[in-house]
Amino acid sequence: MTNRLQRLLLAARDAGSAGHVAAMAANFASHEIESLIVAEGAAHSYLESRSVPHMTSDSWLSGIKPGDRSMDIVAAACEKLAQFGACAVVCGRSPVQEEGIDRIAISAARMWKIPSFVIQDFWGDVWPEDYRPDHYLVIDELAAHLTRNKTFADVHVIGSPKHAHYEYIDFHSLRRTGRAFLELGADASLVGFFGQDLLWVPGYRQVLRDIGETVKHMHGVELFYKPHPRETPTSQLQSMAILEESGVHPIIVPNFTVEEAIASADVVLSCFSTVALDAAFMMRCDTEANVSIVCSDYPGDVSSCWRPATGLDEFPLVSKNLALSASDRSSLEDALRVGLLPEEKMRQAAASRLILGSPRKSIDRASELITRMIRPSARKFGN
């Protein structure tokens, strides 16, 4: 390791978390703060696909496999923090309930008595207090309000660091490349369904059937299915089979990046995935990006996967008028038909640019906050 002023450990285990810690690590490096990213699962795949330097959790823990909440693994992580000389731990907030490297790192930070920070990826989503970090970093005031109602941790509004690189995305280039792969022309109408790891929920399977039936009866409209990073090959095949029950023929795009998939679509459709936020930020950052966002917020067993845990009554982008909502099959068809209209794409794009803040400034805010906590004399980040 080089002799730098401060060292930070960053940990993640899903794609959204990986996006946040990768953005933070790049910014810290430019300010002579050394960071080490430790990742597992979907986060490892995300970072590897983008050539972001990191270690797997197995490698970092010298072969001790995460999955056990015993003090042995936390003590091992604490020893690794000491060896690295970490002065703080920064994690993404994974919605996965099982034990993982992010929770282990937070527990080790508490044992090592260094500050810990968790970047929240979904409004009001917190860990049990046993895994409480010192600080939650959240996207907006709504997220801050929901989070403060559930935790004794300090809560800070920073925005969304993982979307900073969207300011450099070429929407048209991604769209051309994606549609060429799909063998679709620029004017073809395309609904992109972004799956979630929810096949165990009966209502989610019903949503898949509704999507297939709806698109089948929409003349000239094509459908692709982008699996969630946590979906297994088996669950992907099962999802495709349900979508195809109606006779529609979706194209599965497991190897598309989220950005390629969004840019290829005319309508970005999901249940409650943060891909909706990805699409909104793409429109906020690229004035040429025009897509529509539709959230299928039904039936009750699907909505119950996120509403009780977060305290939300409605998906925030719908509340902010940045997305359309569907509450049953009939309204799903209505939302998709409206979403395909050029004027609706332009409306959502304009709203995204008006409401969402600069993700580049989010990184600067988060960096300044973290360095202020670990180094009171740190110079100000940003331009």
Side-chain angles (χ1 to χ4, degrees), residues 21-310:
V21 300
M24 296 303 302
N27 199 50
F28 284 131
S30 68
H31 291 83
E32 297 186 340
I33 295 177
E34 187 168 5
S35 57
L36 171 65
I37 300 177
V38 180
E40 64 189 32
H44 165 62
S45 300
Y46 175 97
L47 296 169
E48 191 171 50
S49 69
R50 288 162 173 76
S51 301
V52 177
H54 67 286
M55 291 183 68
T56 65
S57 56
D58 281 346
S59 297
W60 186 63
L61 291 169
S62 301
I64 301 175
K65 187 177 181 180
D68 180 6
R69 182 60 174 87
S70 71
M71 290 305 295
D72 287 343
I73 196 167
V74 175
C78 187
E79 182 177 346
K80 292 293 183 179
L81 290 178
Q83 291 172 357
F84 178 59
C87 58
V89 167
V90 181
C91 297
R93 162 68 175 98
S94 169
V96 180
Q97 297 304 313
E98 294 78 15
E99 187 68 33
I101 188 59
D102 43 9
R103 292 186 179 188
I104 291 168
I106 293 297
S107 298
R110 183 178 298 177
M111 180 181 288
W112 186 235
K113 293 182 172 55
I114 57 175
S116 58
F117 304 81
V118 167
I119 304 175
Q120 191 181 82
D121 203 42
F122 197 97
W123 299 262
D125 193 19
V126 301
W127 279 325
E129 286 293 275
D130 285 350
Y131 302 96
R132 183 184 73 240
D134 297 318
H135 307 273
Y136 276 107
L137 312 183
V138 304
I139 188 170
D140 57 22
E141 291 295 342
L142 172 61
H145 171 74
L146 295 167
T147 303
R148 289 183 181 118
N149 286 340
K150 299 176 183 179
T151 181
F152 291 106
D154 291 333
V155 180
H156 313 269
V157 176
I158 61 160
S160 186
K162 72 177 181 180
H163 293 111
H165 74 283
Y166 280 20
E167 297 188 1
Y168 310 103
I169 279 182
D170 184 339
F171 175 83
H172 278 306
S173 177
L174 288 177
R175 187 174 177 86
R176 283 194 302 269
T177 301
R179 290 198 161 219
F181 177 86
L182 298 170
E183 299 182 348
L184 294 175
D187 296 328
S189 296
L190 181 60
V191 173
F193 173 62
F194 293 75
Q196 291 174 262
D197 188 21
L198 294 174
L199 271 182
W200 54 274
V201 180
Y204 180 74
R205 297 195 294 273
Q206 184 59 53
V207 170
L208 293 177
R209 293 187 184 94
D210 289 352
I211 292 170
E213 288 285 349
T214 300
V215 174
K216 179 187 176 182
H217 293 98
M218 297 177 71
H219 179 70
V221 177
E222 303 290 341
L223 173 68
F224 74 72
Y225 157 49
K226 165 67 175 162
H228 190 278
R230 287 199 301 273
E231 289 187 80
T232 66
T234 299
S235 68
Q236 293 177 29
L237 290 174
Q238 292 173 340
S239 294
M240 281 289 287
I242 296 172
L243 288 167
E244 291 172 336
E245 286 178 5
S246 64
V248 74
H249 299 290
I251 305 168
I252 186 169
V253 290
N255 296 322
F256 269 24
T257 65
V258 168
E259 294 80 15
E260 288 169 338
I262 291 171
S264 299
D266 292 298
V267 175
V268 171
L269 170 64
S270 70
C271 289
F272 56 92
S273 171
T274 53
V275 70
L277 190 61
D278 298 335
F281 267 106
M282 185 174 286
M283 289 188 283
R284 188 256 180 241
C285 294
D286 189 330
T287 57
E288 299 300 317
N290 289 322
V291 300
S292 291
I293 304 165
V294 174
C295 301
S296 54
D297 185 20
Y298 76 95
D301 56 354
V302 172
S303 298
S304 67
C305 291
W306 62 276
R307 288 193 180 203
T310 61

Side-chain angles (χ1 to χ4, degrees), residues 117 137 156 158 364-373:
F117 304 81
L137 312 183
H156 313 269
I158 61 160
D364 294 336
R365 281 192 290 269
S367 298
E368 184 176 352
L369 171 70
I370 292 169
T371 54
R372 188 170 69 245
M373 297 293 179

